[in-house]
């Protein structure tokens, strides 16, 4: 199985920055996609950004130009640098690893942005 451990959430004022980290362990295959999703109260979980082992990325339109996803394959770690944060970015952020048709999730980390 795969375990994902997130860190880096917190409370920040609008316009501020946060950096999330997620380290995976267990049976990790060489071909996988890691990413971040978020879920705000009363809303469905939505994609924020994903990145392949090769470094190809995809972002939600709402975060393009403000968030940057990156990964360290040697450490099986994915990062999400979040700049110019807005109150609407407030949510629980979940790390995800997808491989061989299976998806694994972290426990989630709270990001709160005050206006």
């Amino acid at each position: 199985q795969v375990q994902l451990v997130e860190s880096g959430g917190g409370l920040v004022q609008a316009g501020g920055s946060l950096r999330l980290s997620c380290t995976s362990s267990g049976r990790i295959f060489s071909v996988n996609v890691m990413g971040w999703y978020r879920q705000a109260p009363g809303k469905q979980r939505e994609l924020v950004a994903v990145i392949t082992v090769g470094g190809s990325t995809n972002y939600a339109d709402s975060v393009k130009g403000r968030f940057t996803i990156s990964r360290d394959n040697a450490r099986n770690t994915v990062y999400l640098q979040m700049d110019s944060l807005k109150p609407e970015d407030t949510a629980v952020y979940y790390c995800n690893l997808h491989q061989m048709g299976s998806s694994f999730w972290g426990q989630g980390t709270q990001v709160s942005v005050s206006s």
Side-chain angles (χ1 to χ4, degrees):
Q1 286 297 338
V2 173
Q3 297 79 41
L4 302 171
V5 178
E6 302 133 334
S7 62
L11 174 64
V12 66
Q13 288 189 331
S17 298
L18 283 173
R19 188 189 194 212
L20 306 182
S21 299
C22 171
T23 299
S24 59
S25 60
R27 194 174 183 187
I28 310 295
F29 293 102
S30 60
V31 178
N32 61 69
V33 178
M34 295 190 74
W36 293 93
Y37 292 71
R38 67 186 181 187
Q39 187 166 19
K43 294 187 177 181
Q44 289 189 333
R45 191 172 298 187
E46 64 178 4
L47 179 145
V48 176
V50 293
I51 185 168
T52 67
V53 169
S56 296
T57 59
N58 188 37
Y59 294 91
D61 287 343
S62 60
V63 307
K64 282 180 181 177
R66 299 188 298 121
F67 291 9
T68 303
I69 190 170
S70 61
R71 64 186 291 170
D72 183 336
N73 292 329
R75 293 181 168 84
N76 290 321
T77 299
V78 64
Y79 306 95
L80 186 67
Q81 177 66 40
M82 304 184 292
D83 299 317
S84 302
L85 282 160
K86 304 175 181 180
E88 51 263 43
D89 294 317
T90 295
V92 177
Y93 284 68
Y94 296 91
C95 177
N96 174 270
L97 184 147
H98 189 83
Q99 61 180 16
M100 303 297 286
S102 296
S103 255
F104 303 91
W105 295 92
Q107 78 283 0
T109 184
Q110 177 70 46
V111 171
S112 299
V113 185
S114 63
S115 57

